[in-house]
């Protein structure tokens, strides 16, 4: 179903009329189903931000054995494992385990790279990598204290089964699984991707201001699954894994949690294809700030300051005159975590590879490498395609993110020579330089 934040209604066609008529919680639901509300916001939130859905299911989610602690592996919210590192950080592509050596599903393949804040106070973020090679069998996951879990496949498509239905998510697509939603991940070989976990706010479309009514990520291009259910008993036990207060817990039940026959509401999982992003770019001179490429934002309580923005750098035209067209040198009051889905990032064509990542922390200098600077400082400026065949992205956050022990050490993917890409930058200062007409914007 198409739309962002809509009031949706869906029922599995095998059970026509399974949505109650005229009310949410009848004394007896059609087909003998249970009514269960899933609230994504406080009851008293304004209508514009109130999120909830009603699920009509064969058995309610409350029927399960007690939760018990389980190993968290490399998943953590301990931001004090190692000393802070203010350096520019870059990771080579993260290793995917070989299925011939070890079977690793989505949950056991989760690794926390960095983050900040606290899920208990519901204020913060965490960034994870997932690397796996086998599907989750009779197992699902639920995140109790985050607001949104953002999955971005880089290698291999993933089939996500949720209580609301199924979503096939391919590289160059994103999906959002919201707080409290149970889901399972099927993979079809060696698979890798990025995850942004937001503790504090729901994702929204960014305000467009003077852009007007249309542009960037258009609401009609977001897709929500249709109802699908399975009435399946699991004699050997179905496992529910709950991420709660930064730890993992598991419980057993004897039926599939994907037993929702019908549902309605505006609190749903959804996906989006990044190729549908309507790019807006400079057509005269100078380099627009990357905020112009924002797909979704999770706002903080401070106007204009995000807990997290999701920004992409898609294929587009570069036409700016008298301009150094690649990204400028920068120190930022925000943290910038970047990843690459495919292709070559324009500011660093070597070293920054698909399946890898970089982190430029608050006020850590960063920008084009020496090859990019020298090439583009002397390039003939004519209309050209930029980032053709490429999709880079950025998680930008107002939080000062700490890198985990896995990110700095255990993963063995940290590129310790990253700083060298700027070492050969030359001093071009000329005290005898004089302005000329060709140096001025508007003169040709």
């Amino acid at each position: 179903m198409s739309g962002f934040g809509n009031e949706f209604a869906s029922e599995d066609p095998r059970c026509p009329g399974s949505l109650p008529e005229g009310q949410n919680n009848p004394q007896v639901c059609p087909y003998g189903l249970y009514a269960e509300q899933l609230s994504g916001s406080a009851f008293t939130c304004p209508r514009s931000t109130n999120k909830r859905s009603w699920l009509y299911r064969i058995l309610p989610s409350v029927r399960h054995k007690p939760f018990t602690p389980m190993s968290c592996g490399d998943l953590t919210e301990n931001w004090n494992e190692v000393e802070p590192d203010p350096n520019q950080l870059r990771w080579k592509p993260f290793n995917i385990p070989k299925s011939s050596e070890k079977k690793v599903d989505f949950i056991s393949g989760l690794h926390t790279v960095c983050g900040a804040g606290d899920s208990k106070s519901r204020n913060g973020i965490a960034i994870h990598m997932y690397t796996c090679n086998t599907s989750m069998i009779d197992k699902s996951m639920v995140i109790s204290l985050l607001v949104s879990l953002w999955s971005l496949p880089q290698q291999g498509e993933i089939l996500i089964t949720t209580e609301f239905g199924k979503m096939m998510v391919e590289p160059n697509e994103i999906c959002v699984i919201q707080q409290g939603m149970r889901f399972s991940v099927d993979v079809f070989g060696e698979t890798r991707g990025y995850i942004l976990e937001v503790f504090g706010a729901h994702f929204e479309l960014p305000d467009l201001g003077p852009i007007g009514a249309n542009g960037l990520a258009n609401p009609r291009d977001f897709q929500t699954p249709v109802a699908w259910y399975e009435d399946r008993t699991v004699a050997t036990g179905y496992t529910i894994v709950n991420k709660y207060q930064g730890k993992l817990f598991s419980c057993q039940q004897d039926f599939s949690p994907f037993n929702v026959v019908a549902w309605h509401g505006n609190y749903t999982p959804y996906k989006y294809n990044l190729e549908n992003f309507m790019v807006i770019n400079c057509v005269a001179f100078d380099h627009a700030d990357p905020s112009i490429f924002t797909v979704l934002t999770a706002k903080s309580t401070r106007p204009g300051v995000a807990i997290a923005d999701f920004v992409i750098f898609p294929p587009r035209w570069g036409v700016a005159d008298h301009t150094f067209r690649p990204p400028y040198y920068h120190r930022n009051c925000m943290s910038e975590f970047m990843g690459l889905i495919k292709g070559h990032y324009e500011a660093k064509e070597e070293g920054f590879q698909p399946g890898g990542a970089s982190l430029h922390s608050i006020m850590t200098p960063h920008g084009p490498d020496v090859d990019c600077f020298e090439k583009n400082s002397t390039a003939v400026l004519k209309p050209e395609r930029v980032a053709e065949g490429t999709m880079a992205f950025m998680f930008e956050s107002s939080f000062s993110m700490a890198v985990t022990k896995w990110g700095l050490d255990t993963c063995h993917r940290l590129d310790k020579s990253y700083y060298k890409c700027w070492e050969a930058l030359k001093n071009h200062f000329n005290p005898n330089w004089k302005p000329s007409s060709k140096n001025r914007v508007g003169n040709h």
Side-chain angles (χ1 to χ4, degrees):
M1 296 178 287
S2 169
F4 186 86
N6 294 16
E7 286 286 342
F8 295 105
S10 183
E11 57 185 27
D12 191 302
R14 290 172 289 177
C15 295
S18 48
L19 278 171
E21 293 187 10
Q23 65 179 120
N24 294 323
N25 192 25
Q27 185 176 21
V28 178
C29 292
Y31 293 92
L33 298 171
Y34 288 85
E36 180 177 292
Q37 183 175 199
L38 180 61
S39 294
S41 64
F43 292 141
T44 50
C45 278
R47 277 186 180 250
S48 61
T49 58
N50 207 300
K51 298 183 182 298
R52 56 83 188 95
S53 286
W54 281 89
L55 313 179
Y56 301 95
R57 57 195 317 152
I58 296 169
L59 282 170
S61 57
V62 71
R63 194 185 126 172
H64 63 80
K65 302 296 184 183
F67 281 102
T68 56
M70 60 178 287
S71 170
C72 296
D74 295 316
L75 207 59
T76 183
E77 285 181 23
N78 180 2
W79 310 129
N80 298 306
E81 287 183 319
V82 291
E83 290 297 310
D85 190 335
N87 289 300
Q88 301 96 346
L89 301 176
R90 183 169 71 187
W91 289 269
K92 302 173 186 178
F94 293 95
N95 293 326
I96 307 173
K98 301 291 184 182
S99 57
S100 58
E101 299 174 0
K102 184 180 181 182
K103 298 291 186 182
V104 178
D105 67 12
F106 176 82
I107 295 177
S108 55
L110 286 170
H111 311 277
T112 306
V113 180
C114 57
D118 178 26
S119 63
K120 295 178 185 177
S121 59
R122 302 178 71 176
N123 186 36
I125 65 171
I127 295 173
H128 316 283
M129 294 296 300
Y130 67 85
T131 55
C132 54
N133 56 37
T134 193
S135 299
M136 293 167 60
I137 305 299
D138 292 336
K139 184 189 297 184
S140 70
M141 191 172 191
V142 59
I143 318 288
S144 291
L145 292 181
L146 90 163
V147 174
S148 294
L149 181 72
W150 190 311
S151 179
L152 180 59
Q154 183 274 319
Q155 177 178 318
E157 60 189 10
I158 56 177
L159 176 62
I160 302 179
T161 303
T162 76
E163 295 167 285
F164 295 78
K166 293 173 176 279
M167 297 186 293
M168 181 68 78
V169 186
E170 301 177 352
N172 226 41
E173 293 185 319
I174 61 169
C175 73
V176 174
I177 308 293
Q178 308 205 63
Q179 179 185 12
M181 297 178 181
R182 295 180 175 183
F183 66 95
S184 183
V185 177
D186 287 343
V187 301
F188 307 92
E190 295 179 359
T191 306
R192 176 173 56 206
Y194 306 86
I195 290 177
L196 172 63
E197 189 179 7
V198 177
F199 305 143
H202 294 288
F203 285 110
E204 305 174 30
L205 293 169
D207 296 323
L208 295 181
I211 292 174
N214 306 286
L216 308 186
N218 289 309
R220 65 175 294 189
D221 293 324
F222 289 83
Q223 295 182 301
T224 292
V226 295
W228 176 88
Y229 77 91
E230 61 178 6
D231 183 12
R232 183 165 66 93
T233 299
V234 185
T236 55
Y238 194 103
T239 303
I240 305 292
V241 177
N242 187 357
K243 186 172 184 286
Y244 180 75
Q245 293 189 4
K247 303 291 185 180
L248 293 183
F249 301 82
S250 66
C251 74
Q252 297 291 309
Q253 58 189 50
D254 60 4
F255 62 94
S256 167
F258 307 120
N259 62 358
V260 177
V261 176
W263 62 267
H264 74 85
N266 64 352
Y267 188 53
T268 70
Y270 55 87
K271 76 169 193 171
Y272 175 77
N273 190 322
L274 300 179
E275 291 183 1
N276 292 325
F277 188 79
M278 195 279 263
V279 183
I280 290 176
N281 202 13
C282 172
V283 296
F285 62 90
D286 272 355
H287 192 292
D289 291 331
S291 50
I292 200 68
F293 302 130
T294 301
V295 179
L296 289 173
T297 182
K299 297 178 179 178
S300 74
T301 56
R302 291 175 288 166
V305 179
I307 295 173
D309 283 332
F310 175 62
V311 179
I312 62 174
F313 302 96
R316 59 199 183 277
W317 280 97
V319 299
D321 287 325
H322 305 282
T323 297
F324 181 78
R325 290 178 178 176
Y328 42 73
Y329 293 101
H330 194 205
R331 288 179 295 164
N332 196 354
C333 66
M334 308 280 276
S335 298
E336 301 180 17
F337 180 94
M338 287 193 63
L340 186 60
I341 304 301
K342 59 181 180 178
H344 301 276
Y345 180 54
E346 59 189 293
K348 298 179 184 68
E349 293 191 3
E350 302 295 332
F352 187 48
Q353 303 174 53
S358 68
L359 175 64
H360 300 137
S361 298
I362 288 176
M363 291 303 168
T364 296
H366 55 281
D369 62 21
V370 62
D371 292 337
C372 178
F373 179 82
E374 296 295 339
K375 174 185 174 182
N376 287 277
S377 296
T378 58
V380 176
L381 296 181
K382 57 185 179 180
E384 62 179 346
R385 291 291 290 172
V386 178
E388 197 68 40
T390 292
M391 185 62 73
F393 72 89
M394 178 170 65
F395 299 144
E396 185 176 62
S397 175
S398 56
F399 282 88
S400 180
M401 290 189 282
V403 182
T404 62
K405 183 179 180 181
W406 184 86
L408 284 177
D409 183 23
T410 312
C411 72
H412 302 297
R413 303 308 293 162
L414 191 65
D415 183 356
K416 296 183 179 180
S417 65
Y418 181 30
Y419 72 95
K420 293 181 180 179
C421 74
W422 295 288
E423 287 285 280
L425 285 168
K426 301 174 183 177
N427 182 345
H428 294 282
F429 177 64
N430 178 7
N432 298 314
W433 176 87
K434 301 296 182 184
S436 64
S437 60
K438 69 177 181 180
N439 301 123
R440 301 190 183 104
V441 173
N443 293 321
H444 302 277

